[in-house]
Amino acid sequence: MRLSVSGAVSFACYSAGALELGARLGGNEQVWDAADLLVQRVLVRDETAMRELVDAVLTPLTMARGGAESLLRTLEAYFATGGNASLAARSLHLSVRALTYRLEKVADLTGRDPTDPAQRFELQTAVTGARLLGWPDYE
């Protein structure tokens, strides 16, 4: 397979972007396939809109005792397990009750229920955006 100069430049830019996204997601020790980062690439194209989404959806989590980080980790684990509370709790070394308490806390603070598919999408997109932005520390 031969690449033209412009093709090689495009490929290099695409690869560099994938490396940057992987690093922003905390994956310095993980191998990322650029094709697996398409959603993240879309999100970073309009950083202003992503910041607005993250702020609108997740800012209430900063009011939780201990801050937003444990609730963000809870949401990430819950989403990564396809909404399986038992597996998410196990991955965080929590009881299922503690995990469901955290999910209820997220719902109370944000007005969005992580177990509801439509609201889950908004939360999951905001959490992904938060990680890409380094939220809540980006301000």
Side-chain angles (χ1 to χ4, degrees), residues 5-138:
V5 172
S6 65
V9 169
S10 293
F11 181 76
C13 289
Y14 185 76
S15 298
L19 286 171
E20 180 187 342
L21 286 175
R24 288 170 99 178
L25 291 169
N28 291 331
E29 297 176 11
Q30 183 175 349
V31 176
W32 293 93
D33 184 334
D36 293 337
L37 298 172
L38 293 176
V39 170
Q40 291 82 357
R41 287 181 52 219
V42 169
L43 289 174
V44 297
R45 282 191 182 147
D46 189 347
E47 192 168 313
T48 301
M50 186 171 50
R51 285 181 189 279
E52 289 172 6
L53 174 69
V54 169
D55 288 339
V57 174
L58 299 180
T59 294
L61 298 183
T62 62
M63 302 303 164
R65 186 172 21 163
E69 186 60 33
S70 66
L71 297 176
L72 285 177
R73 283 196 319 271
T74 300
L75 288 169
E76 286 176 317
Y78 184 71
F79 298 148
T81 61
N84 184 314
S86 276
L87 290 176
R90 189 175 307 132
S91 74
L92 294 171
H93 307 287
L94 296 172
S95 68
V96 174
R97 179 67 195 127
L99 183 107
T100 55
Y101 171 80
R102 287 183 181 183
L103 293 176
E104 290 168 3
K105 189 71 171 170
V106 167
D108 289 345
L109 289 169
T110 66
R112 292 161 179 90
D113 182 356
T115 65
D116 177 89
Q119 295 175 27
R120 171 193 164 126
F121 177 75
E122 186 177 26
L123 280 166
Q124 190 167 4
T125 304
V127 169
T128 301
R131 291 308 190 204
L132 289 169
L133 293 170
W135 184 89
D137 301 325
Y138 67 65

